Each structure stands twice: as structure tokens, then as C-alpha cells.
Amino acid sequence: MSPRAENPKKLKMDGDSAPRNSSSSGTWAASPSNFFYHFGTSGLSVATATGVTHPLDVLKVRLQMQLAGQRGPLIGMGQLFMKLLENEGPRSLYLGLTPALTRSVLYGGLRLGLYEPSKYACDWAFGSTNIFVKIASGAYSGAIATALTNPVEVLKVRLQMNPNLRGGPMEETRRIISEEGIRALWKGVGPAMARAAALTASQLATYDETKRILIRLTPLEEGFHLHLISSTVAGAMSTLITAPVDMIKTRLMLQQESKRVGRYKNGLHCGYKVIRTEGTKALYKGGFAIFARLGPQTMITFILCENLRKLAGLKAI
């Protein structure tokens, strides 16, 4: 066999020198158009996935808040779904959609858009893009994105828990500021940053690393099947890691809305009180709804993002 015929196989087995549209080239062009395409493709893909899975996010928040501060039998996602339709109507499944989409564009663009620059900065500084670098880059990207967009997340969960609010997102924002102060828009920002750091680190690092392993060990190449399998693994891993932090974040953001939960001083105090009054399993309230939402959302986000990046002339994640 000629050297030319052997070369593709050799390159495929070498994960860092794959000739495909891979992110392991070690370079990242910092031109204005490159920044725009990175953040634009990321924000659009996350917003699309959010719009599709938003009803599951509403169910997740309601499940996390049921029997707050109490022990007792919990109803499942199916029962809650039917109860919402019966008592509040189909529109209740889209409560908070406007701030959710707004946050998705901003948060999604920053979260995914900062990942590659962060990874390549580490590569430039330390000469490596191993799994630990990917985890650190994902954690940094998620934490920064959440710190900047937390007010929109607070507004979203408030709207999701209050179907009878009048005036829309802007009126609710003014009400929160006037009654609770502007700092209320950053309620739960600590757990939210921890959750976003854990989510982005587990989601992006798992997706990135799963792709690399599958390319090296299987015949799969860049394309739909590789992206589908990798995003499914990433969705399952991120759900397992982030469900407890997500529940704590929701409780902190909504403690003003629920008189039964008392006052939480911070994320650790919230976690302690939840375990003491509701049991350890309470940390995974809404866990199935989280996976039912996060799994499809992760798949839609990465598959769409990869295709948008290809159309924009960017390398694959």
C-alpha cells in the first residue's frame, strides 16, 4: 500500500492531528467576524433548543418547588403536566418564555462562545488541551456567562411560578427592584454560577472528549451520528452532576415567593435545610424533568451549533 493510502488512517489515530474540521489545531483567530460567528452560532443554537424544551423547564421548576420545606409524597412529571393543563391551561407551559429566550441568546452565546477561546488560552499558556483543561475552560465559561445574565434567570423562574402576573417581564422586573431591591436580581447567583460551571464543564468537556474518543476508536467522523452520540452522553453526564445545584438555585431565587421555605442564607444553608426537612432525595426533585429537558436540549444545541459553525466556516467544537 502506498504512503498516500496509509496517511488518512494514521492521521485519524492521532487525535491531535486529525485533518477533519477539528478544534484541536491549537489556533484560534481573534478577528471581529470570528467573535461574531462564535457567539452568534452559539446563542442561536441554544435559543432554538430552549424554545423547543421550555415546557419541560416549567415542569422542572414546579417539581423543584413542590412541598418546599415539607416531607411528603411527591407527584410525578406526568401528573403535574395534566394538573397544569387542567388548572392553568396550555399557556402555563410557556410562562417565562420571553426572558428564557433572551437569556439563551446571551447566556448561550457567552457559555459556548467563551469555551474555545478559554481552551486555546490554556493551550497557549500550558501547552495542553487535555480533559482537565477542557473542564476548567467549561467551568470558567459557564460561571462568567451566568454572573452576567442572572437577572434574566431570576425573572424567568418568577414568571414560571406565577401564572397570574400582570404586566409582563418588564413590569415584574420593576416590581422586584421596587419591593426587594436591585440585589434581588442576583439572588441565587452563587449556586447559579456553581451550577453553570458544573453544567458547562460536564457538558462541553464530555461532548468534546467523547467526540475525540469516538473519532479515534470508531469509524465515525464529523457528522450527524457523531454529534448525536456525543451530545447524548454529554446530556446524561451534565444532568447527573448539576441536578442538586439546579434545585438549590431555584429555591434561592423563589424563596420570596414561597412562605413555607423560610429564609436561606446561602447555597450551603439551603442544601442543608432541604436535606434536613425534606430528605436527601429532595436534592433530585425534578431530576427526571431536568434530564427530559437537558437531554434533548443538549442534542439540539450541539447538532445545530455544529451545522451553523460549518456554514459560518468555523471549525467543529
Side-chain angles (χ1 to χ4, degrees), residues 1-11:
M1 185 179 290
S2 67
R4 180 178 178 82
E6 292 177 353
N7 193 43
K9 184 175 180 65
K10 178 181 177 183
L11 286 173

Side-chain angles (χ1 to χ4, degrees), residues 84-290:
L84 272 179
L85 289 181
E86 182 182 345
N87 296 338
E88 301 176 30
R91 292 183 63 183
S92 63
L93 296 172
Y94 290 90
L95 291 170
L97 181 60
T98 299
L101 292 176
T102 302
R103 178 182 178 274
S104 295
V105 173
L106 300 173
Y107 168 73
L110 288 168
R111 189 169 69 91
L112 271 69
L114 286 172
Y115 174 69
E116 274 195 290
S118 301
K119 189 171 67 170
Y120 287 126
C122 291
D123 187 24
W124 176 80
F126 307 112
S128 174
T129 54
N130 60 33
I131 184 63
F132 299 107
V133 167
K134 292 172 183 176
I135 291 172
S137 299
Y140 169 80
S141 303
I144 293 297
T146 292
L148 295 174
T149 61
N150 197 75
V152 191
E153 174 74 0
V154 170
L155 181 60
K156 183 196 76 170
V157 297
R158 294 287 183 97
L159 291 172
Q160 288 175 334
M161 282 299 296
N162 292 277
N164 300 316
L165 286 175
R166 297 287 184 266
M170 295 305 297
E171 182 61 32
E172 178 64 10
T173 302
R174 285 193 288 269
R175 188 194 69 78
I176 292 172
I177 294 173
S178 64
E179 294 182 8
E180 304 173 46
I182 196 168
R183 292 182 62 183
L185 294 175
W186 272 270
K187 273 186 177 178
V189 68
M193 289 178 68
R195 184 251 182 197
L199 171 65
T200 311
S202 58
Q203 196 179 58
L204 277 166
T206 301
Y207 178 77
D208 199 344
E209 194 67 10
T210 301
K211 274 182 64 177
R212 186 187 69 81
I213 293 171
L214 288 174
I215 287 173
R216 291 191 65 179
L217 302 180
T218 73
L220 289 172
E221 299 186 358
E222 285 293 347
F224 175 77
H225 292 97
L226 177 66
H227 302 157
L228 177 64
I229 296 171
S230 301
S231 60
T232 302
V233 175
M237 179 63 72
S238 55
T239 299
L240 180 65
I241 291 174
T242 63
V245 188
D246 187 272
M247 198 280 298
I248 291 171
K249 177 209 72 173
T250 300
R251 288 291 182 87
L252 285 172
M253 289 180 174
L254 288 171
Q255 61 178 324
Q256 189 78 11
E257 308 294 314
S258 178
K259 306 303 180 185
R260 291 178 300 179
V261 300
R263 299 293 298 175
Y264 298 132
K265 298 176 183 178
N266 50 49
L268 290 175
H269 182 239
C270 177
Y272 169 74
K273 285 194 70 175
V274 167
I275 292 172
R276 185 175 179 182
T277 59
E278 302 170 49
T280 305
K281 288 184 178 180
L283 292 174
Y284 279 89
K285 277 184 181 179
F288 182 75
I290 292 173

